[in-house]
Amino acid sequence: MEAASLSRIGLAGLAVMGQNLALNIAEKGFPISVYNRTTSKVDETLDRAHTEGQLPLTGHYTPRDFVLSIQKPRSVIILVKAGAPVDQTIAALAAHMEPGDTIIDGGNEWYENTERRMVEASEKGLLYLGMGVSGGEEGARNGPSMMPGGSYEAYSNIKEIVEKVAAQVEDGPCVTYIGEGGSGNFVKMVHNGIEYGDMQLISEAYDVLKNVGGLSNDELAEIFDEWNKGELESFLIEITADIFKVKDEHGDGELVDKILDKTGMKGTGKWTVQQAAELSVAAPTIAASLDCRFLSGLKDERVAAAEVLAAAGMKEEVGTIRSGIDKKRLIDDVRQALYASKICSYAQGMNLLRAKSVEKNWNLNFGELARIWKGGCIIRAVFLDRIKKAYQRNPNLASLVVDPDFAKEMVQRQAAWRRVVGLAVSAGISTPGMCASLSYFDTYRRARLPANLVQAQRDLFGAHTYERVDRAGSFHTEWTKLARKNA
């Protein structure tokens, strides 16, 4: 084979994401080799490359042929299931690769696995990137947001390709070199945690509007369409409007009402909450969204609980509250509550990234992260541009909540936010995400908290000592003895 006919890059793992990303790369003018252990997937991808415009894509049926079809220094993207399949694929390909070649894992991998593989790869002289890819099937085919971390040299080898393949926004392609080690995977994990929070908050807005406001699916579609023209403009708001419009083909009404209320999950949200706990970073909105997914899974228990509590005299408050509702005001209040809650959720995600960046010395650029999330990814939203600018104004911003622009917005929206949460509480509708965001805001903005009492308790039962506000040093008090003496 002559050097001229070699592919510019390779991709192994041709499930839907892999196929779509390969076709995207080919369409941008980069000849690509593809490989999959199940050969039918290779044929399927070749067929698509043919029908979608004679794209420069070649299929290979053995790891050796695949690797040798790529020009040096070779770059190979793998898109297989996280965990053991990644290690097996690396072993199969690395056997035919040479020092200076690069492996790029595009899956949702736990960042420490990526860091282990980097070490193993470097022992063979291979470069390694762990690259988060967001945007689902659609993004992979037409322009995802990509978060590559690891070897900078490896990134330079594929920079030209990923910059063309990524979603394009007015300030550049939605890809950037994230940082050392497993930073790309970690950033993608937190992105997914923020996504959990966003989806939960939107579902709560829906719950309040539907059950307290009494809105129909048609009205909801209209409202979300309207919201998508303003400050909430985002992929998730846009698709939510679409969901309300779809009729049920097996019966009357809309499909959304026929869907079982049990949420699935792949694990990145759980990892985010675990990492927040490990790093002592409060992420209550993301944690609340995870708890809600757990509770949604207990469908049978919830159905039984509803019956038991009704028998015990539990009354539905929704009807009585709904009768006195001003719909227009409620819709506007919910919009503001959703926006303020979102700011808190993104603040939590960014603070988690900052804590990890400090721990691992990654030097993450938060403004740049907000920028590459503006297109291609699931949490893409207009207000990410504002987050980008907040970090450009102050790279050491302690929290988005105290950025002067966002602070103003939180203050302006808090009355509406409190009305929505109060209304939901009195109607017996759970809004754990909005409540968690509001509690976070109310705790963070208070100069003094009741933690002084907790410290006194810890000192009483465990002699943990405490500090004082009026003098330096650590103190311990014989609380019980003094209390009894004074009694």
Side-chain angles (χ1 to χ4, degrees), residues 5 14 34 51 77 99 103 112 143 177 188 214 220 258 303 328-329 344 346 356-357 380 385 398 445 448 477:
S5 61
L14 298 171
V34 298
T51 56
I77 299 172
I103 293 172
E112 288 177 332
Y177 173 70
K188 172 63 164 61
L220 286 163
K258 309 287 173 32
V303 170
K328 210 169 153 58
R329 161 95 173 263
C344 288
Y346 281 69
K356 195 67 177 183
S357 183
R380 63 181 181 264
D385 195 54
R445 71 182 175 81
R448 185 161 173 84
T477 297

Side-chain angles (χ1 to χ4, degrees), residues 111 115 130 147-150 178-188 362 364:
Y111 83 100
E115 297 191 336
M147 297 152 245
I178 301 288
E180 298 288 325
S183 59
N185 294 119
F186 196 91
V187 166
K188 172 63 164 61
W362 282 338
L364 296 180

Side-chain angles (χ1 to χ4, degrees), residues 120-142:
E120 291 165 1
S122 70
E123 286 162 4
K124 301 188 175 89
L126 301 175
L127 308 175
Y128 200 94
L129 285 174
M131 180 170 76
V133 179
S134 178
E137 300 169 15
E138 181 69 20
R141 182 67 184 84
N142 300 311

